């Protein structure tokens, strides 16, 4: 049925636009340091602002989507984000810019709360895994868009571009998206099904492992560009182009991981193996940052690609374990944990890099990936 593929395309496009500004601010790091005269730690705070706003608004937007439907929520939220980013284009000063980025992130949370529901509702269980795998590529695709455009455009033009992108997608959602048909059984669901959190730490272990794996993902994603510029002498534009390629590989890694989990009949076994692989690759980043060479560039590309591969697996495992009656709440908890970690990581890692250098920050991220692998349930 062609309509469901249109819904998938619109949901993925909306999520990509939201990710482009929520997670794309690191690609303005060089411009922020020069035009705003900020330290790397201060840049890390600005990088965290959209994710912080996102975390604070996820539950409220989820409740709105439950009541009013996905199309209205995505269109209003993404349109509001476009307006706030347009105002940020004219803003001066770190505090005002940070507030506007946080508010834009809160508006963009509408997409995180509703676009997955939009896609899930239009696909059956037989092909939902493929659909959600495609939808989950939106994070690396959004980062790739930011990596290609932000260094070349600079701070002000970059924010204007992000505002325009969000505005166009919001309009397309308003015009062409349609809420999926609701099964009567879903509307009749009550509190009768057992609480999957009661008497078992299984879901909490998935949530914890997923949150911990955000640390290496955002260590590589947020600071690969400045490492290439500061240590390897790349220009911001060329470094952004290289990392856009890495983010495209990250999108493919999510689809490949999903297909792998389908073939082996398990989400958690591939997740554990990929967490171990993440630890190894990020360790290589630490070593090559301590002893810079062309291998540093290669290690960073592989790290950016592989650190995002487990995201879809953890979301799918959460929904499957929680069951239909609890999946919405469970995914909300999972999403909040991941994005809260994403908000905290950039300023902390920026502070570590400022005081100790790049290699200790990447070494710590590798250790956290090992802890995540140990937490993944059997």
């Amino acid at each position: 049925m062609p309509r469901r593929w249109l819904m998938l395309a619109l949901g993925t496009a909306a999520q990509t636009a939201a990710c482009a500004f929520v997670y794309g601010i690191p690609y303005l790091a060089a411009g922020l340091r020069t035009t705003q005269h900020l330290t790397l730690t201060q840049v890390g705070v600005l990088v965290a602002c959209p994710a912080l706003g996102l975390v604070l608004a996820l539950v409220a937007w989820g409740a709105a989507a439950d009541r009013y439907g996905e199309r209205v929520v995505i269109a209003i939220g993404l349109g509001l984000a476009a307006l706030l980013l347009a105002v940020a284009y004219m803003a001066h000063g770190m505090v005002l810019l940070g507030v506007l980025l946080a508010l834009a992130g809160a508006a963009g949370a509408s997409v995180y709360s509703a676009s997955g529901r939009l896609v899930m509702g239009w696909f059956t269980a037989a092909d939902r895994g493929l659909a959600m795998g495609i939808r989950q590529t939106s994070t690396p695709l959004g980062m790739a868009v930011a990596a290609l455009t932000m260094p070349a455009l600079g701070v002000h033009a970059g924010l204007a571009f992000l505002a325009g992108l969000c505005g166009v997608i919001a309009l397309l959602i308003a015009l062409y998206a349609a809420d999926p048909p609701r099964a009567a059984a879903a509307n009749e669901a009550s509190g009768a099904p057992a609480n999957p959190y009661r008497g078992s730490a299984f879901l909490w272990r998935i949530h914890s492992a997923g949150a911990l794996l955000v640390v290496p993902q955002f260590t590589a994603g947020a600071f690969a560009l400045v490492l290439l510029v500061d240590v390897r002498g790349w220009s911001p534009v060329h470094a952004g182009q290289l990392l856009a390629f890495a983010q495209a590989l990250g999108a493919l890694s999510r689809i490949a991981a999903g297909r792998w989990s389908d073939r082996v009949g398990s989400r958690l076994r591939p997740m554990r193996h990929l967490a171990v692989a993440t630890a190894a690759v990020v360790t290589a980043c630490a070593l090559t940052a301590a002893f810079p060479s062309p291998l540093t560039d290669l290690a960073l590309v592989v790290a950016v690609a592989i650190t995002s591969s487990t995201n879809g697996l953890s979301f799918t495992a959460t929904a499957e374990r929680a069951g239909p009656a609890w999946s919405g709440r469970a995914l909300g908890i999972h999403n909040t944990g991941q994005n809260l970690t994403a908000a905290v990581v950039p300023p902390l890692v920026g502070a570590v890099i400022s005081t100790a250098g790049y290699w200790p920050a990447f070494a710590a991220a590798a250790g956290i990936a090992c802890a995540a692998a140990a937490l993944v349930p059997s």
Side-chain angles (χ1 to χ4, degrees):
M1 180 169 147
R3 193 179 191 189
R4 62 179 183 165
W5 295 104
L6 174 61
M7 297 306 111
L8 173 58
L10 289 171
T12 303
Q15 187 76 16
T16 299
C19 289
F21 78 83
V22 171
Y23 302 133
I25 302 302
Y27 298 104
L28 292 174
L32 288 168
R33 292 169 74 182
T34 56
T35 62
Q36 301 283 335
H37 308 290
L38 303 178
T39 67
L40 191 59
T41 302
Q42 290 173 319
V43 171
V45 172
L46 287 180
V47 167
C49 284
L52 179 60
L54 177 79
V55 168
L56 295 176
L58 278 168
V59 175
W61 280 117
D66 287 339
R67 183 167 183 176
Y68 301 110
E70 291 88 346
R71 183 180 66 87
V72 170
V73 164
I74 296 173
I76 290 176
L78 202 56
L80 182 58
L83 178 62
L84 288 163
L85 288 169
V87 176
Y89 162 77
M90 300 178 286
H92 296 282
M94 176 185 169
V95 174
L96 179 57
L97 182 57
V99 169
L100 289 169
L101 289 175
L103 291 173
S110 64
V111 183
Y112 287 74
S113 295
S115 66
R117 285 167 46 94
L118 181 70
V119 173
M120 291 280 287
W122 277 103
F123 285 81
T124 65
D127 47 18
R128 194 175 291 150
L130 172 62
M132 287 301 292
I134 294 172
R135 185 259 182 187
Q136 287 298 116
T137 64
S138 55
T139 298
L141 287 178
M143 288 182 167
V145 169
L148 281 173
T149 57
M150 296 301 99
L153 292 174
V155 176
H156 294 294
L159 290 172
F161 169 80
L162 292 173
L165 177 65
C166 291
V168 169
I169 300 300
L171 181 61
L172 291 175
I173 291 290
L175 291 175
Y176 299 111
D179 293 341
R182 302 297 181 198
N187 293 327
E188 295 169 2
S190 65
N195 185 339
Y197 291 95
R198 189 168 297 158
S200 172
F202 193 95
L203 276 173
W204 289 116
R205 290 181 64 179
I206 298 176
H207 298 331
S208 300
L212 288 179
L213 285 169
V214 170
V215 177
Q217 180 182 353
F218 275 77
T219 299
F223 295 98
L225 187 142
V226 289
L227 192 159
L228 288 170
V229 172
D230 290 349
V231 176
R232 293 285 296 136
W234 285 66
S235 72
V237 172
H238 290 152
Q241 291 170 346
L242 178 66
L243 294 177
F245 170 72
Q247 293 292 355
L249 292 179
L252 293 176
S253 77
R254 294 190 179 202
I255 296 175
R259 287 185 175 274
W260 179 17
S261 71
D262 288 337
R263 294 189 65 178
V264 301
S266 170
R267 316 297 178 193
L268 298 177
R269 201 185 328 155
M271 183 177 171
R272 189 181 306 108
H273 291 328
L274 288 168
V276 173
T278 292
V281 171
V282 177
T283 297
C285 288
L287 291 173
T288 56
F291 305 98
S293 75
L295 290 176
T296 307
D297 312 340
L298 176 62
L300 288 171
V301 168
V302 177
V304 170
I306 198 171
T307 54
S308 66
S309 62
T310 59
N311 186 270
L313 295 177
S314 65
F315 272 90
T316 306
T318 295
E320 290 176 343
R321 178 68 178 191
W326 274 83
S327 61
R329 281 165 283 187
L331 287 172
I333 294 171
H334 192 79
N335 214 340
T336 299
Q338 286 202 323
N339 284 286
L340 184 61
T341 306
V344 171
V345 168
L348 290 181
V349 173
V352 172
I353 293 173
S354 296
T355 57
Y358 286 98
W359 77 262
F362 278 87
I368 290 171
C370 288
L375 272 174
V376 176
S378 301

